[in-house]
Amino acid sequence: MVQTKVQKMFFALGTVNTLTVFSEGLDDVLLKAKNRVNELHNKLSAFDETSEVGQINKNAGVCPVKVSDDTLTLIERSVSYSKQTNGMFDITIHPLSMLWKKSIAEKSLPSKDEIKKRLHLTDYRDILIDRINKTVMLRQKNQAIDLGAVAKGCVADEVRGIFLEENIKEAIINLGGTVITIGEIRKIGIQNPYEKTGTAFGSLSLQNKAVVSSGLYEQGFTLGGKTYHHIINPKTGYPAESDLAGVTLIGDSAEELDVLSTTAIMSGVNSSAGFLGICGIEAVFITKENKIYTTNGLAGQLSFC
């Protein structure tokens, strides 16, 4: 039996988002979800000076900024993730990320002095949160936060909450490759780390799960036989170096997967397999030698394209 499918596609969070429900008469629910995505985008964007995050960055080292509960709680959780990962996840990495983004575009390396200067600005402990007055401030001038490594997961979880509240039985939420399934078993593609976002090398059949991929695809350049990419290690100021080219994580919280997928890329197969196991998260690892490993819970479940 062919299911009725209703979709809404739109641009937000720096990517194309697709919300799919498998039932008719749910246009109002899809619009409600889209509006929530846009609302959070307008609060959390680091590239919009008028957003709440933009205002925090603009007033770094100057004064606290009043923010909504949405922004405050996500920043609080991000600081908690930083503590849990021993600083491998750090939303104050924005100045470093922008430096490397420019370098990747120009295919040239930044100077050691430029990296050192921005590394000094990278420290999640400089995020000053006042829960009572609902303000956030960065301790130093020129510091800036970027929630890009956690926002899509957070927003995807929000959309799932809306769908469940509205008694949606069957749906797929896809925010630029951050995917959540609701209802029956769905075949979800596993990102090929050597191709553009959305290009799969295999798939998993999943039910009521979140799926997030992170990898070295799309953004990078090679100089002197070495490849430099966009995932920056906040401890060194340079692109992360590990044996991984890509990782896909499967679990319950898209936000948690968003955070840990980036951390896993920086940590490598052995180290990340340990902490992912403690968190109860399954994974597909693709190494730079093009070897594929899965955690025990996915044994025999990966199908290749």
Side-chain angles (χ1 to χ4, degrees):
M1 181 178 175
V2 178
Q3 286 184 308
T4 300
K5 182 169 74 172
V6 182
Q7 278 188 333
K8 187 170 286 293
M9 297 180 66
F10 57 98
F11 191 85
L13 305 170
T15 190
V16 175
N17 305 283
T18 306
L19 307 180
T20 307
V21 293
F22 295 90
S23 181
E24 293 180 336
L26 296 173
D27 294 295
D28 287 348
V29 177
L30 285 171
L31 181 59
K32 179 180 178 180
K34 176 187 175 182
N35 289 342
R36 180 61 172 151
V37 174
N38 285 327
E39 177 189 11
L40 289 169
H41 167 87
N42 291 335
K43 291 178 179 180
L44 304 177
S45 174
F47 299 95
D48 179 359
E49 196 175 271
T50 66
S51 75
E52 293 180 354
V53 167
Q55 286 296 302
I56 293 168
N57 294 344
K58 182 180 179 182
N59 290 283
V62 178
C63 65
V65 173
K66 190 95 169 178
V67 296
S68 64
D69 283 337
D70 289 326
T71 302
L72 187 72
T73 55
L74 184 56
I75 291 174
E76 280 183 327
R77 292 199 301 271
S78 296
V79 171
S80 179
Y81 291 133
S82 293
K83 293 175 182 176
Q84 292 171 29
T85 61
N86 193 30
M88 292 294 279
F89 173 83
D90 193 327
I91 60 173
T92 64
I93 201 169
H94 189 57
L96 265 173
S97 296
M98 294 306 294
L99 175 66
W100 278 100
K101 183 176 182 179
K102 180 175 182 287
S103 293
I104 288 170
E106 296 175 351
K107 294 181 171 54
S108 63
L109 291 178
S111 70
K112 291 182 179 179
D113 285 343
E114 288 176 310
I115 292 171
K116 185 177 180 180
K117 180 181 177 181
R118 287 161 179 79
L119 195 58
H120 179 67
L121 298 173
T122 305
D123 190 341
Y124 70 90
R125 292 166 295 189
D126 284 343
I127 302 172
L128 309 176
I129 300 171
D130 184 338
R131 163 52 70 175
I132 295 174
N133 294 305
K134 295 185 179 180
T135 64
V136 179
M137 179 179 172
L138 290 164
R139 194 187 306 273
Q140 303 180 61
K141 285 188 176 183
N142 299 317
Q143 285 186 308
I145 62 176
D146 185 351
L147 293 165
V150 67
K152 282 198 300 180
C154 165
V155 177
D157 288 338
E158 283 276 324
V159 173
R160 174 173 52 191
I162 290 171
F163 283 178
L164 294 179
E165 284 176 6
E166 298 289 346
N167 204 29
I168 303 297
K169 303 296 186 184
E170 301 286 343
I172 300 175
I173 300 157
N174 187 341
L175 305 188
T178 294
V179 177
I180 295 178
T181 67
I182 298 174
E184 69 177 49
I185 296 172
R186 303 281 174 187
K187 187 171 284 189
I188 304 299
I190 304 302
Q191 173 68 43
N192 186 328
Y194 300 103
E195 301 290 344
K196 291 184 177 181
T197 300
T199 305
F201 75 87
S203 64
L204 289 167
S205 294
L206 302 169
Q207 185 174 30
N208 295 319
K209 288 294 182 182
V211 184
V212 172
S213 295
S214 186
L216 311 186
Y217 42 89
E218 291 198 66
Q219 300 181 51
F221 70 99
T222 300
L223 186 67
K226 185 172 182 177
T227 299
Y228 299 88
H229 56 80
H230 69 291
I231 299 178
I232 309 304
N233 186 328
K235 293 182 177 294
T236 66
Y238 286 86
E241 294 190 35
S242 78
D243 56 352
L244 280 174
V247 63
T248 294
L249 304 185
I250 299 95
D252 296 319
S253 166
E255 178 180 301
E256 182 182 32
L257 299 186
D258 234 357
V259 171
L260 294 181
S261 63
T262 304
T263 306
I265 284 288
M266 289 190 279
S267 302
V269 175
N270 292 332
S271 295
S272 58
F275 67 73
L276 293 173
I278 293 171
C279 296
I281 292 169
E282 303 294 346
V284 178
F285 302 106
I286 306 96
T287 71
K288 290 176 179 175
E289 296 180 348
N290 211 24
K291 293 181 179 179
I292 299 169
Y293 302 96
T294 65
T295 49
N296 292 335
L298 297 178
Q301 295 185 39
L302 179 63
S303 300
F304 293 93
C305 296

